[in-house]
Amino acid sequence: MNPRWLLAALFRASPALIAFVVLAWAGDLDPGVAAVAAILALLALVLLAAPIYIGLARIRNAIDAMAEDDAARPEVESASPAIRDLWLAVMRWARAARAKAQAREMEIDTAQLVLRNLPDPILVLDDARRIARTNEAADALLGPNLVERDLAGALRQPALLAAADAVLRGEGDRLVEFDLANPVERHFIARIVPLLPVRADGSAVIILHDVTVLKRSERLRADFAANASHELRTPLASLIGFIETLRGPARDDIDAHDRFLAIMAEQSGRMARLVEDLLSLAKIEMNEHQTPTDRVDVADLLSRVARGLDQRATGRDMTIRIDAAADLPPALGDPDELAQVFQNLIDNAIKYARAGTAITVKVSPSAKRPATLAVAIADQGEGIPREHVARLTERFYRVDTARSRELGGTGLGLAIVKHIVNHHRGLLEIDSDLGKGSTFTVHLPVAPVTTPAPA
Ligand SMILES: Nc1ncnc2c1ncn2[C@@H]1O[C@H](COP(=O)(O)OP(=O)(O)OP(=O)(O)O)[C@@H](O)[C@H]1O
Ligand SMILES: [Mg+2]
């Protein structure tokens, strides 16, 4: 028998034992009887207490086992109904605690997963402005091993550091904008929020939001509006000037009327072309998400476009030669948009290549991309300096603005070409050899083969 149980039984039985000793001492009870009664009382207590103590010891062992191993599911058996009841209550509590812990763990896992996969870089700071945690986007942006470093070691941005200090001093949220120059210029908005409700040690979290694309498109939009108004203002100013002259000093000069009206017609034609091109761009952009579905015979379309430009080519003593492979599959596209692409590219070749040379238009299955047709328009001009090639498809971008204007160009042709090619999920390639000429190649997807309906 466990000596602790004997001691406990002795302790519990002590009032009865004392009573027997007092009664025997007072002579009211025979000492022999008192001794037997005391032993019997002790025995009865030991027998009654034993299952309870054994049960309690088993419960304690079972709780220890569960504390050590979360997966342990020990059984406790006991002769005592009170112990069995207590064990059931312990099990109910353990089940509830386990369920709560699981729910909490799941919440933490979810929060960590979300944090890890958020596209915005996130840095958690401790109260000494050291980085305590990062997510993958932060590591990708600022490099690995950021943890434990001072924020200044990761982002040397005075405004950001000052704002982080203010937040850590308990001065509330802060928003800061800053630029990173390397490896490419990027613009960020940082939101710094104290973690005070969750942690009392004054730490904070920094959420970086990359607004480079937004800034760039804002700038592009502003540039575009400025360029478009500038392009319109020039012919408009000329028209206003001539109208004033015709109403004033040249009112009665009939010869001047004809000359001025011819210039005015040309200037208004330029404005009309510009507006038409701007509308065309807007329309293509609006439909860009819907891929065209017509089957287009590209060789046939090219012949029609070339016929339309033949007179202009002849005017510069140039020829347009179409070289189409036999049995070409149709392209998947929008015939009007594709006509606009070829019209622009052949028109550029006529305008910018040397007079008296040939323009070749070659259509063949693309060697680079499967199920694609390649239309290459090659001229024998001066070529385009390398530094301009990448920017040619920007709106209003010209290599020689004065020359383009003189030739009636708006500088929107290649921007329209690029948008249409993108709309077709195609590709535009520009190759140019200075002094030799340029080749603009359009890759277009081939239309899927249709099986004829059964007769
Ligand atoms: N085949 C080419 N050879 C040499 N330079 C070219 C050629 N095609 C285009 N360029 C250059 O690219 C610039 C942009 O061409 P784009 O077609 O966008 O405008 P544009 O021809 O000037 O005007 P638009 O097409 O609106 O009449 C031209 O101004 C020209 O400098
Ligand atoms: Mg053009």
Side-chain angles (χ1 to χ4, degrees):
M1 178 184 291
N2 189 327
R4 272 165 56 207
W5 301 345
L6 192 61
L7 274 175
L10 262 174
F11 177 72
R12 292 279 144 75
S14 55
L17 298 180
I18 291 165
F20 288 135
V21 171
V22 171
L23 283 174
W25 178 68
D28 288 350
L29 200 62
D30 178 76
V33 175
V36 171
I39 289 168
L40 282 177
L42 198 60
L43 254 172
L45 261 165
V46 167
L47 283 176
L48 274 176
I52 291 172
Y53 277 96
I54 294 171
L56 286 176
R58 283 181 184 159
I59 288 178
R60 196 201 59 211
N61 290 342
I63 291 173
D64 281 349
M66 286 195 293
E68 230 169 70
D69 177 7
D70 244 6
R73 298 286 183 271
E75 295 281 334
V76 170
E77 279 168 13
S78 172
S80 158
I83 290 293
R84 286 201 301 273
D85 228 30
L86 177 64
W87 176 240
L88 287 178
V90 169
M91 288 300 285
R92 273 198 301 279
W93 171 82
R95 252 199 312 275
R98 237 181 253 130
K100 263 190 208 155
Q102 264 172 5
R104 210 172 306 128
E105 250 170 50
M106 216 156 85
E107 241 169 64
I108 293 172
D109 286 353
T110 311
Q112 276 179 346
L113 198 78
V114 171
L115 180 78
R116 213 175 32 242
N117 291 299
L118 270 182
D120 285 345
I122 291 178
L123 303 162
V124 178
L125 300 184
D126 68 10
D127 53 343
R129 213 182 66 180
R130 276 187 306 255
I131 297 168
R133 244 173 161 197
T134 58
N135 68 348
E136 280 176 14
D139 293 345
L141 177 72
L142 306 168
N145 310 323
L146 296 172
V147 172
E148 306 238 317
R149 275 162 64 184
D150 182 73
L151 178 62
L155 280 163
R156 215 167 265 286
Q157 299 290 332
L160 178 75
L161 298 175
D165 289 339
V167 174
L168 290 173
R169 278 197 305 271
E171 293 175 18
D173 299 23
R174 286 283 194 279
L175 269 186
V176 186
E177 288 197 27
F178 65 91
D179 292 320
L180 286 184
N182 286 317
V184 281
E185 196 191 334
R186 289 167 84 177
H187 195 85
F188 286 91
I189 292 182
R191 188 177 157 78
I192 313 160
V193 187
L195 282 178
L196 219 53
V198 189
R199 298 172 59 140
D201 58 1
S203 49
V205 61
I206 302 180
I207 304 137
L208 300 178
H209 188 50
D210 188 342
V211 288
T212 316
V213 175
L214 209 71
K215 287 265 165 188
R216 201 175 294 152
S217 65
E218 238 173 56
R219 202 162 51 213
L220 279 179
R221 199 180 47 79
D223 286 356
F224 176 66
N227 281 329
S229 13
H230 177 76
E231 293 291 333
L232 279 170
R233 206 163 48 204
T234 317
L236 192 63
S238 140
L239 278 178
I240 292 170
F242 281 115
I243 290 170
E244 273 171 13
T245 318
L246 284 173
R247 281 173 143 181
R251 182 191 287 267
D252 302 318
D253 184 347
I254 300 300
D255 287 348
H257 283 194
D258 280 350
R259 254 184 305 123
F260 291 174
L261 282 172
I263 301 172
M264 286 166 75
E266 194 198 316
Q267 295 297 339
S268 45
R270 192 167 146 199
M271 283 173 74
R273 262 198 313 281
L274 183 67
V275 171
E276 221 168 84
D277 279 356
L278 287 172
L279 285 175
S280 183
L281 256 179
K283 192 175 136 220
I284 299 158
E285 269 184 329
M286 233 155 55
N287 294 332
E288 212 155 51
H289 59 283
Q290 290 166 338
T291 3
T293 49
D294 286 343
R295 300 164 70 78
V296 183
D297 182 337
V298 177
D300 180 55
L301 182 65
L302 278 165
S303 315
R304 276 187 283 138
V305 170
R307 265 202 305 277
L309 288 166
D310 219 23
Q311 207 182 350
R312 293 198 45 219
T314 319
R316 297 201 70 217
D317 199 18
M318 295 171 96
T319 50
I320 306 170
R321 209 173 53 226
I322 295 178
D323 170 9
D327 296 333
L328 282 173
L332 191 63
D334 176 318
D336 291 340
E337 286 192 1
L338 289 180
Q340 220 175 333
V341 166
F342 302 138
Q343 157 92 31
N344 261 303
L345 294 177
I346 300 175
D347 174 63
N348 279 351
I350 297 172
K351 279 196 299 196
Y352 302 112
R354 270 188 298 272
T357 56
I359 297 164
T360 48
V361 182
K362 188 172 178 220
V363 200
S364 55
S366 169
K368 284 191 183 165
R369 302 176 127 203
T372 303
L373 285 181
V375 182
I377 293 149
D379 64 50
Q380 297 162 22
E382 292 310 319
I384 304 158
R386 184 184 288 269
E387 66 272 22
H388 293 289
V389 171
R391 300 196 58 190
L392 285 185
T393 54
E394 283 175 24
R395 291 159 195 208
F396 300 112
Y397 192 88
R398 289 114 148 178
V399 178
D400 182 343
T401 308
R403 184 165 172 217
S404 157
R405 285 220 184 103
E406 197 186 295
L407 296 170
T410 63
L412 288 173
L414 288 178
I416 293 175
V417 166
K418 188 188 149 192
H419 270 83
I420 295 179
V421 172
N422 283 351
H423 182 206
H424 282 73
R425 311 291 180 256
L427 179 80
L428 172 70
E429 272 183 318
I430 307 174
D431 292 303
S432 197
D433 240 349
L434 270 185
K436 288 191 180 160
S438 313
T439 304
F440 289 72
T441 310
V442 177
H443 298 266
L444 292 170
V446 162
V449 180
T450 48
T451 39

